[in-house]
Amino acid sequence: MRSVSTAASNATEEVQLGDREFAKIAVYAKKHFGLSLSDNKKPLVRSRLSRRLRSLQIGSFSDYLDILDDAGSAEEPTELLCLLTTNVTQFFREVHHFETLRDEVLPPLLDAAQNGKRVRIWSAGCSTGPEPYSIAIVLHALCPNAHKLDIKVLGTDIDPVVVRQAIAAEYGPKDLAQIPKVYANIVTGGGSLAPRLPDEVTSLVRFGTLNLIKPFPFSGKFDAIFCRNVAIYFDKETQQDVWMAFANALTPDGFLFLGHSERLSGPALQRFRGTGITTYQRIS
């Protein structure tokens, strides 16, 4: 990696992101993360990466690309991913999906679970954890002994930083206030105790780091998959590959929940039928 002067690092804010460097960053992001960076994202990329250049005390985007190309730099790809994406999440976001989960998806699954059947739900792109924990809250409300059955919610994200936060399950009162009143009694705490999610809820959830553009490492199937506001970062070809991978990862008649601005496209349309707002069921 080329060395730079202190003066150059102090001037990072003024460094321009050339077309050549932007193209290389876009290729890298697509190859490693599936992210689609069109030309109109160039100002955003420059703005966000300029912060990282200042932190690293380097004075050009060429120098930054040298760091990315260094096979020994395990940290930098994650830093790049964090800068290029936005983690926006909350408990029970797009609440209609959780109503469908409660009213249509879970009742037959829980009946089967009481008779020994395994139930698996996947939150793909779980960020800091409110989505998988919201799923677990619904499970617990419908079936208070769910944590004693063969029921698990898997939360995965490509970003190991947010996965660690999700595992910690440390949420403030403002975060937990997003939980609908019908489930409010599940959140424990009171008096001098800070509100928190009970063990019966958190024990239902497992977390891991996973890249959706890589082959899924699962042998079993999922009864439902939540992948909301993740595919917006992919181009259409990558989206369609992910949709098909989800179809193959679901049980017959399993459900797929997408974000409010996402729609299935391509060959996956032959594998699913729409059942509600950005809600799909696999055709068995």
Side-chain angles (χ1 to χ4, degrees):
M1 183 177 69
R2 295 183 290 276
S3 62
V4 294
S5 67
T6 303
S9 65
N10 289 339
T12 299
E13 235 180 313
E14 305 303 322
V15 172
Q16 294 300 309
L17 175 59
D19 290 344
R20 179 172 174 272
E21 287 78 15
F22 173 74
K24 286 187 175 182
I25 291 170
V27 168
Y28 187 96
K30 173 69 183 296
K31 177 181 178 181
H32 292 277
F33 314 127
L35 302 184
S36 176
L37 298 177
S38 55
D39 289 344
N40 63 359
K41 296 288 181 65
K42 183 178 173 182
L44 176 67
V45 172
R46 176 188 174 278
S47 173
R48 293 190 175 183
L49 292 192
S50 290
R51 308 174 205 164
R52 185 59 179 162
L53 267 62
R54 288 195 295 273
S55 175
L56 294 171
Q57 295 187 331
I58 58 177
S60 76
F61 285 99
S62 293
D63 289 339
Y64 183 72
L65 284 163
D66 286 344
I67 296 176
L68 282 179
D69 289 337
D70 182 358
S73 177
E75 175 187 0
E76 202 51 44
T78 299
E79 292 290 343
L80 176 65
L81 175 68
C82 291
L83 290 167
L84 295 180
T85 57
T86 303
N87 286 301
V88 177
T89 185
Q90 66 181 61
F91 285 91
F92 289 86
R93 187 182 186 194
E94 299 181 47
V95 70
H96 58 276
H97 283 160
F98 297 97
E99 292 170 350
T100 299
L101 181 72
R102 178 195 64 203
D103 298 338
E104 299 179 30
V105 179
L106 287 180
L109 294 176
L110 291 175
D111 286 344
Q114 297 286 5
N115 293 313
K117 182 184 182 298
R118 78 189 280 279
V119 174
R120 295 294 184 271
I121 301 175
W122 180 15
S123 168
C126 68
S127 187
T128 55
E131 179 176 274
Y133 287 130
S134 296
I135 296 169
I137 288 170
V138 178
L139 277 164
H140 178 70
L142 290 178
C143 181
N145 69 327
H147 62 290
K148 297 180 180 180
L149 304 176
D150 191 3
I151 300 173
K152 283 292 178 286
V153 180
L154 173 65
T156 67
D157 200 282
I158 193 174
D159 183 350
V161 175
V162 298
V163 170
R164 288 194 293 270
Q165 295 175 21
I167 292 171
E170 295 175 352
Y171 303 102
K174 288 185 178 180
D175 297 317
L176 298 177
Q178 300 159 352
I179 298 173
K181 290 182 179 179
V182 67
Y183 303 116
N185 65 319
I186 292 175
V187 178
T188 60
S192 61
L193 297 177
R196 65 178 184 85
L197 298 175
D199 293 343
E200 292 83 358
V201 168
T202 58
S203 64
L204 286 168
V205 189
R206 295 290 183 270
F207 290 98
T209 303
L210 187 143
N211 188 336
L212 291 176
I213 69 169
K214 305 294 185 181
F216 299 160
F218 312 123
S219 56
K221 303 288 188 180
F222 292 93
D223 299 288
I225 296 174
F226 284 67
C227 186
R228 305 184 306 165
N229 307 304
V230 176
I232 55 174
Y233 292 105
F234 301 152
D235 61 21
K236 283 194 174 183
E237 180 183 0
T238 304
Q239 286 179 353
Q240 291 173 10
D241 289 343
V242 172
W243 303 151
M244 290 299 290
F246 284 154
N248 294 330
L250 279 166
T251 58
D253 300 320
F255 283 81
L256 174 63
F257 298 91
L258 304 183
H260 66 275
S261 63
E262 298 166 331
R263 300 293 185 276
L264 284 184
S265 62
L269 290 172
Q270 306 302 315
R271 303 287 300 277
F272 290 93
R273 65 183 182 90
T275 62
I277 302 172
T278 56
T279 303
Y280 301 86
Q281 187 174 24
R282 184 186 151 179
I283 300 171
S284 60

